[in-house]
Amino acid sequence: MANQPPISALPIPEEGELDPELQKYFAICREKLGLVPNVLKAYSFRPERLRRFIDSYNEIMLSEGPLSKLEREMIAVVVSAYNRCTYCLVAHGQAVRRLSGDPILGEMLVMNYRMADLSARHRAMLDYAWTLTADPMALSEADRARLREAGFDDAALWDVAETASFFNYTNRMAHALEMQPNREYHAMDREPPDAD
Amino acid sequence: MANQPPISALPIPEEGELDPELQKYFAICREKLGLVPNVLKAYSFRPERLRRFIDSYNEIMLSEGPLSKLEREMIAVVVSAYNRCTYCLVAHGQAVRRLSGDPILGEMLVMNYRMADLSARHRAMLDYAWTLTADPMALSEADRARLREAGFDDAALWDVAETASFFNYTNRMAHALEMQPNREYHAMDREPPDAD
Amino acid sequence: MANQPPISALPIPEEGELDPELQKYFAICREKLGLVPNVLKAYSFRPERLRRFIDSYNEIMLSEGPLSKLEREMIAVVVSAYNRCTYCLVAHGQAVRRLSGDPILGEMLVMNYRMADLSARHRAMLDYAWTLTADPMALSEADRARLREAGFDDAALWDVAETASFFNYTNRMAHALEMQPNREYHAMDREPPDAD
Amino acid sequence: MANQPPISALPIPEEGELDPELQKYFAICREKLGLVPNVLKAYSFRPERLRRFIDSYNEIMLSEGPLSKLEREMIAVVVSAYNRCTYCLVAHGQAVRRLSGDPILGEMLVMNYRMADLSARHRAMLDYAWTLTADPMALSEADRARLREAGFDDAALWDVAETASFFNYTNRMAHALEMQPNREYHAMDREPPDAD
Amino acid sequence: MANQPPISALPIPEEGELDPELQKYFAICREKLGLVPNVLKAYSFRPERLRRFIDSYNEIMLSEGPLSKLEREMIAVVVSAYNRCTYCLVAHGQAVRRLSGDPILGEMLVMNYRMADLSARHRAMLDYAWTLTADPMALSEADRARLREAGFDDAALWDVAETASFFNYTNRMAHALEMQPNREYHAMDREPPDAD
Amino acid sequence: MANQPPISALPIPEEGELDPELQKYFAICREKLGLVPNVLKAYSFRPERLRRFIDSYNEIMLSEGPLSKLEREMIAVVVSAYNRCTYCLVAHGQAVRRLSGDPILGEMLVMNYRMADLSARHRAMLDYAWTLTADPMALSEADRARLREAGFDDAALWDVAETASFFNYTNRMAHALEMQPNREYHAMDREPPDAD
């Protein structure tokens, strides 16, 4: 595959040129994930921005909080589906497959979340994320009320909003850089669970 | 999976109630594809419409013609991506994976065809299919000229147009019936080719 | 009128070059309708596609079924109004004028069906056709329920959906080919009924 | 036709209650046009506004100027087609049929002006009117330059812009009042000219 | 500021070339407002149109009627915000600041009226003006009913509709002419009231 | 003004309950800016998120880099204008007024940046930010090339993209929380410079 498109439309430094802390972070990625996500390589063009991105990302997606990690990944995929952001759909679609153990759910959210077999809680959560992405000016207290009825408290409501908002940032960075996802994601976690 | 959503929002007759010719067609599907595509089951609510659908589908997608079968499936996926039609994205996404031997291509077309690594011919073909779907009134001789420059003759130009138009019909039927794709498609043809 | 635009952007064979069955079909059209609809001439560039088109068209628009022929023509016009498809607006606008005996109804549906003096049944039917055309992803059980309340059973609901979906196919073919309607349609059935 | 929808969603005074000048104006309309256009009746709810409307209308549509009366009516129809304004499409569609002697032109402009057989001058004029209606923020010097190349001088350019702008006012008034057109318009000027 | 963009994309005659009545009108503007609004200068390219514009404007914005002058200016700003019309936002934003004595209200309406602290009456009025601008075909009796519930009688409902419609005309004229607002408006009426 | 809408739709803790570092940060804001921006108060509901927001904000808006601080604020305003985000329009509109010394520029960018008197560099920068906000999928190498022609190198191109992307995040947070701007911003920096 000599002919693949580049990871980013802007230059990417050699990994050895990065400061030791980032080099170590990349090494940990390789160990834990089996790869360095291309978004990190693309951001390494601006190391200070990469550090901020890692911090924000880990806080929003991985810290303890009222949304499960799967729920955050579901929001990531649905926002990225609206924005048709290939990078995030590939990377977070894989995360939904892995965390849910349901490879079909991940694919359904990429295509049209309204056709997925969702709980009332998740349907409300994803409807909110979709509207916040597509028409943020349209949201009002009625939309927050619907989330509350579906069991989201104030902190959870914040996290739905911030996770969806964050991917409106990352999706645009990925579009601006024409960021290519790691090819390894595509084949991961496609096996349906045994009990299927 | 007792709890899956139904295949169609309208009733589906028992297969044994269908006329012998359709029963035979379903049997052939099982033999050749390993499944009866749910679209056929959904259409069996109206057997005469099912017969017409099969005829049109086979003519447009499978007959000899200036577009390869893969090219027709690529158009099917890109039109369905615009319309966010889960059924067609799942079924024809799988077909692109199978016919191209490139599982990543299928997924890319589902997400955003502009990020796929396409030949000039295929980019022109898919741009035309996208515009014909999104804003058909906008097309003019300039769009046909671009297809001709990319190597499409009159008959090929017809087929690009008719294939894209046809999926604007099927996508709407699938939305109207909330048609669920066969779950088997999701896992098929995910393996990258050896040479990758 | 030496200077009229061509019927289709793609070539049209001489009628005498068509196979005998299609020649006979054109002759019947001339006898019954007083003209060969230009859509048939445009499709004769690909005779096999023309045969499929005639079959599908006759099944959807003319077969026995739960929708009256006028209702199917009303759907055709409203879908074509959304898509601003001149060919179908001219040809099916004339059909609404003829079948309804109400030349104003035909013109109103071309312009904005919401201003026409419609029964609750027809308003529900045309609202569904409009949404299925404009935003198919937005439809849900609530939209089907509204049709059921307006008296549509499962088979009728299918026909509303399939008729509207079919014209999303034909409208796009007409746009792709820049298909010109027969000029004769314009003057037909303009007379208001005597009782007006 | 006891059951027709009302001319306006707001009240309309008896003609005899209007001041003598307006009564005289209505009488002249009946004599010259064979009818009092419903827009005048609808506006008679607010006689002072009616007077201003008549003044503006006559100045923009009927005064001497660089655009022919037919050209102004063509702009009226195309703006009203974008806004799907039934009242103006019926009334000004009839005017295009009458002034052009070409009943097909009127109908084509109602449906999709891009399919009409237009001179370069008229295509440029209607493209400008369409964009000024659909996306006024998008216009720039390049759009004015295209009009100039098509033969429009400064005064003509003004009139294209003001005529299109004016119908963005009247279309909205007609929508707000759900204004019904006089039924007589529909049948008028449908005959193709002898030389056709 | 030698380098400012011109007031209008079309020529503007010397004020001394205008007829005496218009010269007098401009002099009154200077006396009362401290400036001649650029819209009047731009319109002076076509003096007859300027006279009609002044008449219509004064009738709609300044005559006695069921809407306060502030309410009419609020509608002007919200319609102009939808259309992103710089001229009208500057001139009528200043008018809202002046008439309301609330400089923040004027700015809020320019930005997003839904975030302003509005009475139920004003929220209903501005929602109607926004929809009549953005999607006039969508309005129906339900929208008029909502205005009536908020206290608008038939005459007031007319004025909401006509004021909003009128600015859909003026906004387009301003876009077509790339009309620049007088620079003096920007600094006027920015002081919050003492009691703030 | 007892009756103002709350700063945020979600709760805000007493400042004294925040950890000492954040209390100190708020004190510095008061000293330097004369106020604590409401966005910081709204975020203090989730102190860890507030810390990340401050870090990202300061890096993107205030660090040394290829874009001037004014240019970053211009991007912030134009993105917020597309999204109709009141909070960011008020706060960053003031920043543009202050940094440019041109109160009219700030207001023009809020209303419609295409009407502002911009250098070719700034027009290209703001066109890119607008498209990345409105239709990120549409961007391609041609858009980056236009920025390069306008003098932006790779690092500057990154910053245009990241600044615009970041405000697509903050705008959505502000909409989700219905965040109210500090009232003090409105009157600040309205004075035109002496040399005007």
Side-chain angles (χ1 to χ4, degrees):
Chain A
M1 288 311 227
N3 215 356
Q4 285 180 38
I7 288 170
S8 166
L10 295 184
I12 296 181
E14 292 299 315
E15 199 172 317
E17 298 168 18
L18 298 177
D19 64 67
E21 194 189 4
L22 287 172
Q23 290 196 38
K24 190 175 158 191
Y25 192 80
F26 280 26
I28 295 173
C29 287
R30 267 199 200 86
E31 195 186 306
K32 287 204 178 171
L33 308 176
L35 53 78
V36 179
N38 282 349
V39 63
L40 302 184
K41 291 187 187 171
Y43 263 78
S44 71
F45 171 57
R46 296 288 292 273
E48 188 53 31
R49 302 300 170 97
L50 172 54
R51 268 184 287 273
R52 302 292 176 194
F53 175 76
I54 292 169
D55 282 356
S56 295
Y57 184 92
N58 289 347
E59 170 64 23
I60 290 171
M61 296 304 282
L62 302 175
S63 69
E64 286 302 298
L67 300 189
S68 73
K69 290 194 181 99
L70 172 58
E71 287 173 332
R72 301 180 222 185
E73 295 288 351
M74 292 169 75
I75 293 169
V77 172
V78 166
V79 168
S80 305
Y82 180 84
N83 289 325
R84 302 191 190 272
C85 175
T86 302
Y87 184 89
C88 300
L89 285 169
V90 167
H92 297 281
Q94 185 266 337
V96 169
R97 295 197 303 269
R98 178 173 50 81
L99 291 171
S100 67
D102 181 356
I104 293 179
L105 178 65
E107 206 171 359
M108 288 294 221
L109 297 186
V110 165
M111 291 166 173
N112 178 356
Y113 74 95
R114 297 180 199 178
M115 286 295 289
D117 191 25
L118 299 172
S119 66
R121 172 181 170 91
H122 288 164
R123 177 65 193 254
M125 177 182 85
L126 296 177
D127 281 346
Y128 188 92
W130 183 268
T131 305
L132 184 59
T133 300
D135 190 8
M137 185 197 185
L139 289 172
S140 71
E141 176 57 27
D143 300 278
R144 291 188 296 273
R146 204 183 140 218
L147 278 183
R148 287 199 179 93
E149 281 159 32
F152 293 84
D153 64 11
D154 284 340
L157 204 155
W158 176 288
D159 280 5
V160 174
E162 191 170 13
T163 309
S165 297
F166 182 70
F167 280 90
N168 274 285
Y169 157 77
T170 63
N171 288 176
R172 283 176 175 80
M173 285 304 286
H175 275 303
L177 302 177
E178 294 193 37
M179 214 184 281
Q180 284 284 339
N182 305 59
R183 296 173 65 85
E184 293 86 343
Y185 285 127
H186 294 272
M188 290 177 178
D189 299 294
R190 294 289 181 185
E191 284 308 298
D194 291 344
D196 200 25
Chain B
M1 287 313 224
N3 217 356
Q4 284 179 38
I7 288 170
S8 167
L10 295 183
I12 296 180
E14 292 299 316
E15 199 172 318
E17 298 168 18
L18 298 177
D19 63 66
E21 194 189 3
L22 287 173
Q23 289 195 40
K24 191 174 158 191
Y25 191 80
F26 280 26
I28 294 172
C29 287
R30 266 197 202 87
E31 196 184 305
K32 287 203 178 171
L33 309 176
L35 52 80
V36 179
N38 282 349
V39 62
L40 302 184
K41 291 187 185 170
Y43 263 77
S44 71
F45 171 58
R46 297 288 293 273
E48 188 54 30
R49 303 300 171 95
L50 173 54
R51 269 184 288 273
R52 302 292 175 195
F53 175 77
I54 291 169
D55 281 357
S56 296
Y57 183 91
N58 289 347
E59 169 64 22
I60 291 170
M61 296 304 283
L62 304 174
S63 68
E64 287 301 300
L67 300 190
S68 74
K69 288 194 183 101
L70 172 59
E71 287 172 333
R72 300 180 222 185
E73 295 289 350
M74 291 169 76
I75 293 170
V77 172
V78 166
V79 168
S80 304
Y82 180 84
N83 289 324
R84 301 191 190 273
C85 175
T86 303
Y87 184 89
C88 300
L89 286 169
V90 168
H92 297 280
Q94 185 266 336
V96 169
R97 295 196 302 269
R98 179 174 49 82
L99 291 171
S100 66
D102 181 354
I104 293 179
L105 177 66
E107 206 170 359
M108 288 295 222
L109 296 186
V110 165
M111 291 166 174
N112 178 355
Y113 74 96
R114 298 179 199 179
M115 286 295 288
D117 191 25
L118 299 171
S119 66
R121 171 180 170 91
H122 287 165
R123 178 64 194 254
M125 176 182 86
L126 296 177
D127 281 346
Y128 188 92
W130 184 268
T131 304
L132 184 59
T133 300
D135 190 8
M137 184 196 186
L139 290 171
S140 71
E141 176 57 27
D143 300 277
R144 290 189 296 274
R146 205 183 140 218
L147 279 183
R148 287 199 179 92
E149 282 159 33
F152 293 85
D153 65 11
D154 285 340
L157 203 155
W158 176 287
D159 280 5
V160 173
E162 191 170 12
T163 308
S165 297
F166 182 70
F167 280 90
N168 274 286
Y169 156 76
T170 64
N171 288 176
R172 282 176 176 80
M173 284 304 286
H175 275 302
L177 302 177
E178 293 192 37
M179 213 184 282
Q180 283 284 340
N182 305 59
R183 296 174 66 83
E184 292 87 342
Y185 285 126
H186 294 272
M188 292 177 177
D189 298 294
R190 293 290 181 186
E191 286 307 298
D194 291 344
D196 200 27
Chain C
M1 290 310 226
N3 216 356
Q4 285 180 39
I7 288 170
S8 166
L10 295 184
I12 297 180
E14 292 300 315
E15 198 172 317
E17 297 168 17
L18 297 177
D19 63 68
E21 194 189 3
L22 286 173
Q23 290 195 38
K24 190 176 158 192
Y25 191 81
F26 280 26
I28 295 173
C29 286
R30 267 198 201 86
E31 195 186 306
K32 288 203 177 170
L33 309 177
L35 53 78
V36 179
N38 282 349
V39 63
L40 302 183
K41 292 187 186 170
Y43 263 78
S44 71
F45 171 58
R46 296 288 293 273
E48 187 53 29
R49 301 301 170 96
L50 172 54
R51 269 185 287 273
R52 303 290 175 195
F53 175 76
I54 291 169
D55 281 357
S56 295
Y57 184 91
N58 289 347
E59 169 65 21
I60 289 170
M61 296 304 282
L62 303 174
S63 68
E64 286 301 298
L67 299 190
S68 74
K69 288 192 183 103
L70 172 58
E71 287 172 333
R72 300 180 221 186
E73 295 288 352
M74 292 169 75
I75 293 169
V77 172
V78 166
V79 168
S80 304
Y82 180 85
N83 288 326
R84 303 191 189 273
C85 174
T86 302
Y87 184 90
C88 300
L89 286 169
V90 167
H92 296 280
Q94 184 266 336
V96 169
R97 295 196 303 269
R98 178 172 50 81
L99 291 171
S100 66
D102 181 355
I104 293 178
L105 177 65
E107 205 170 0
M108 288 294 221
L109 296 187
V110 165
M111 291 165 174
N112 177 356
Y113 74 97
R114 296 179 200 179
M115 286 295 288
D117 192 25
L118 299 171
S119 66
R121 172 181 169 91
H122 287 165
R123 178 65 194 254
M125 177 182 85
L126 297 177
D127 281 346
Y128 188 92
W130 184 268
T131 305
L132 184 59
T133 300
D135 190 8
M137 185 197 185
L139 290 172
S140 71
E141 175 57 27
D143 300 278
R144 291 189 296 272
R146 203 182 142 217
L147 278 184
R148 288 199 178 92
E149 282 160 32
F152 293 84
D153 65 10
D154 283 341
L157 205 155
W158 176 288
D159 280 6
V160 173
E162 192 171 12
T163 309
S165 297
F166 182 70
F167 280 89
N168 274 285
Y169 156 77
T170 64
N171 288 177
R172 282 176 175 80
M173 284 304 286
H175 274 302
L177 302 177
E178 293 192 38
M179 214 184 281
Q180 284 284 339
N182 304 61
R183 296 173 66 84
E184 293 87 341
Y185 285 127
H186 293 272
M188 291 178 177
D189 300 292
R190 293 290 181 185
E191 285 306 299
D194 292 344
D196 200 27
Chain D
M1 290 309 226
N3 216 356
Q4 284 180 38
I7 288 170
S8 166
L10 295 183
I12 296 179
E14 293 299 315
E15 199 172 317
E17 297 168 18
L18 298 176
D19 63 68
E21 194 189 3
L22 286 173
Q23 289 195 40
K24 189 175 160 192
Y25 192 80
F26 280 25
I28 294 172
C29 287
R30 265 196 203 88
E31 196 184 306
K32 288 203 178 169
L33 309 176
L35 53 79
V36 179
N38 282 349
V39 63
L40 302 183
K41 292 187 185 171
Y43 263 78
S44 72
F45 172 58
R46 297 290 292 273
E48 188 54 29
R49 302 301 170 96
L50 172 54
R51 269 184 287 273
R52 302 291 175 194
F53 175 77
I54 291 168
D55 281 357
S56 295
Y57 183 92
N58 289 348
E59 170 65 21
I60 290 170
M61 296 303 283
L62 303 173
S63 68
E64 287 301 300
L67 300 190
S68 73
K69 289 194 182 99
L70 172 58
E71 287 172 332
R72 301 180 222 186
E73 295 288 351
M74 292 170 75
I75 292 170
V77 172
V78 166
V79 169
S80 304
Y82 180 85
N83 288 325
R84 302 192 189 272
C85 175
T86 303
Y87 184 90
C88 300
L89 285 170
V90 167
H92 297 281
Q94 185 266 336
V96 169
R97 295 196 302 269
R98 179 174 49 82
L99 291 171
S100 66
D102 180 355
I104 293 179
L105 177 65
E107 206 171 359
M108 288 294 222
L109 297 186
V110 165
M111 291 166 174
N112 178 355
Y113 74 96
R114 297 179 199 178
M115 287 294 289
D117 191 24
L118 300 170
S119 66
R121 171 180 169 90
H122 287 165
R123 178 64 194 252
M125 176 182 87
L126 297 178
D127 282 345
Y128 188 92
W130 184 269
T131 304
L132 185 59
T133 300
D135 190 8
M137 185 197 184
L139 290 171
S140 70
E141 176 58 26
D143 300 278
R144 290 188 297 273
R146 202 181 143 219
L147 279 183
R148 287 200 180 91
E149 282 159 33
F152 294 84
D153 64 10
D154 284 340
L157 203 156
W158 176 288
D159 280 6
V160 173
E162 191 170 13
T163 308
S165 297
F166 182 69
F167 280 89
N168 274 286
Y169 157 76
T170 64
N171 288 177
R172 282 176 176 80
M173 284 304 285
H175 275 302
L177 302 177
E178 293 191 37
M179 214 185 281
Q180 284 284 340
N182 305 60
R183 297 174 66 84
E184 292 87 342
Y185 285 126
H186 294 271
M188 292 177 175
D189 299 293
R190 294 290 181 184
E191 286 307 298
D194 292 344
D196 201 26
Chain E
M1 290 309 230
N3 217 356
Q4 286 180 38
I7 288 170
S8 166
L10 295 184
I12 296 181
E14 292 300 315
E15 199 172 317
E17 298 168 17
L18 298 177
D19 63 67
E21 194 189 3
L22 287 173
Q23 290 195 39
K24 190 175 158 192
Y25 192 80
F26 280 25
I28 294 173
C29 286
R30 265 197 203 86
E31 195 185 306
K32 287 203 178 172
L33 309 176
L35 52 80
V36 178
N38 282 349
V39 63
L40 302 183
K41 292 188 185 170
Y43 263 78
S44 72
F45 171 58
R46 296 289 292 274
E48 187 54 30
R49 301 301 170 95
L50 172 55
R51 269 185 286 274
R52 302 291 175 195
F53 175 77
I54 291 169
D55 281 357
S56 295
Y57 183 92
N58 289 347
E59 169 64 23
I60 290 170
M61 296 304 282
L62 302 175
S63 69
E64 286 302 299
L67 300 190
S68 74
K69 288 192 183 100
L70 172 58
E71 288 173 332
R72 301 180 222 186
E73 295 288 351
M74 292 169 76
I75 292 170
V77 172
V78 166
V79 168
S80 305
Y82 180 84
N83 289 325
R84 302 191 190 274
C85 174
T86 302
Y87 185 89
C88 300
L89 286 169
V90 167
H92 297 280
Q94 185 267 337
V96 169
R97 294 196 303 268
R98 179 173 49 82
L99 291 171
S100 67
D102 181 356
I104 293 178
L105 178 65
E107 205 171 359
M108 288 294 221
L109 297 186
V110 165
M111 291 166 174
N112 177 355
Y113 74 96
R114 297 179 199 179
M115 286 296 288
D117 191 25
L118 299 171
S119 66
R121 172 180 169 91
H122 287 165
R123 178 65 194 253
M125 177 182 85
L126 296 177
D127 281 346
Y128 188 92
W130 185 267
T131 305
L132 184 59
T133 300
D135 190 7
M137 184 197 186
L139 289 172
S140 71
E141 176 58 27
D143 300 279
R144 291 188 296 273
R146 204 183 140 216
L147 278 183
R148 288 199 179 92
E149 281 159 33
F152 293 84
D153 64 11
D154 284 341
L157 203 155
W158 176 288
D159 280 6
V160 174
E162 192 170 12
T163 309
S165 297
F166 182 71
F167 280 89
N168 274 285
Y169 157 77
T170 63
N171 288 176
R172 282 175 176 80
M173 284 304 285
H175 274 303
L177 302 177
E178 294 192 37
M179 213 183 281
Q180 283 285 339
N182 305 61
R183 296 174 65 83
E184 293 86 342
Y185 285 126
H186 293 272
M188 291 177 178
D189 299 292
R190 293 289 181 186
E191 284 308 298
D194 292 343
D196 200 25
Chain F
M1 288 311 223
N3 216 356
Q4 284 179 39
I7 289 170
S8 166
L10 294 184
I12 296 180
E14 292 299 315
E15 198 171 319
E17 297 168 19
L18 298 177
D19 63 68
E21 194 190 3
L22 287 172
Q23 290 195 39
K24 191 175 158 192
Y25 192 80
F26 281 26
I28 295 172
C29 287
R30 265 197 202 88
E31 196 185 306
K32 288 203 178 169
L33 309 176
L35 52 79
V36 179
N38 283 349
V39 63
L40 302 183
K41 292 187 185 171
Y43 263 77
S44 72
F45 172 57
R46 297 287 293 273
E48 188 53 30
R49 302 301 170 96
L50 173 54
R51 268 185 287 272
R52 302 291 176 194
F53 175 77
I54 292 168
D55 281 357
S56 295
Y57 183 91
N58 289 347
E59 170 64 23
I60 290 170
M61 296 303 283
L62 304 174
S63 68
E64 286 301 300
L67 301 190
S68 74
K69 289 194 182 100
L70 172 58
E71 288 172 332
R72 301 179 221 186
E73 295 289 351
M74 292 169 75
I75 293 170
V77 172
V78 166
V79 169
S80 304
Y82 180 85
N83 288 325
R84 301 191 190 275
C85 175
T86 303
Y87 185 90
C88 300
L89 285 169
V90 167
H92 296 281
Q94 185 266 335
V96 169
R97 295 195 302 269
R98 178 174 49 82
L99 291 171
S100 66
D102 181 354
I104 293 179
L105 177 66
E107 205 170 1
M108 288 295 221
L109 297 186
V110 165
M111 292 167 173
N112 178 355
Y113 73 96
R114 297 180 199 178
M115 285 295 289
D117 191 25
L118 299 172
S119 66
R121 171 181 170 90
H122 287 165
R123 178 65 193 253
M125 175 182 86
L126 296 178
D127 281 346
Y128 188 92
W130 184 269
T131 305
L132 184 59
T133 300
D135 190 8
M137 184 197 185
L139 290 171
S140 70
E141 176 57 27
D143 300 278
R144 291 188 297 273
R146 204 182 142 219
L147 279 183
R148 288 200 179 92
E149 281 159 33
F152 293 85
D153 65 10
D154 284 340
L157 204 155
W158 176 288
D159 280 6
V160 174
E162 190 170 13
T163 309
S165 297
F166 182 70
F167 280 90
N168 274 285
Y169 156 78
T170 64
N171 288 177
R172 283 176 175 80
M173 284 305 285
H175 274 303
L177 301 177
E178 294 191 37
M179 214 184 283
Q180 284 284 339
N182 305 60
R183 296 174 67 84
E184 291 87 342
Y185 286 127
H186 293 272
M188 291 177 177
D189 300 293
R190 293 290 180 185
E191 285 308 298
D194 292 344
D196 201 25

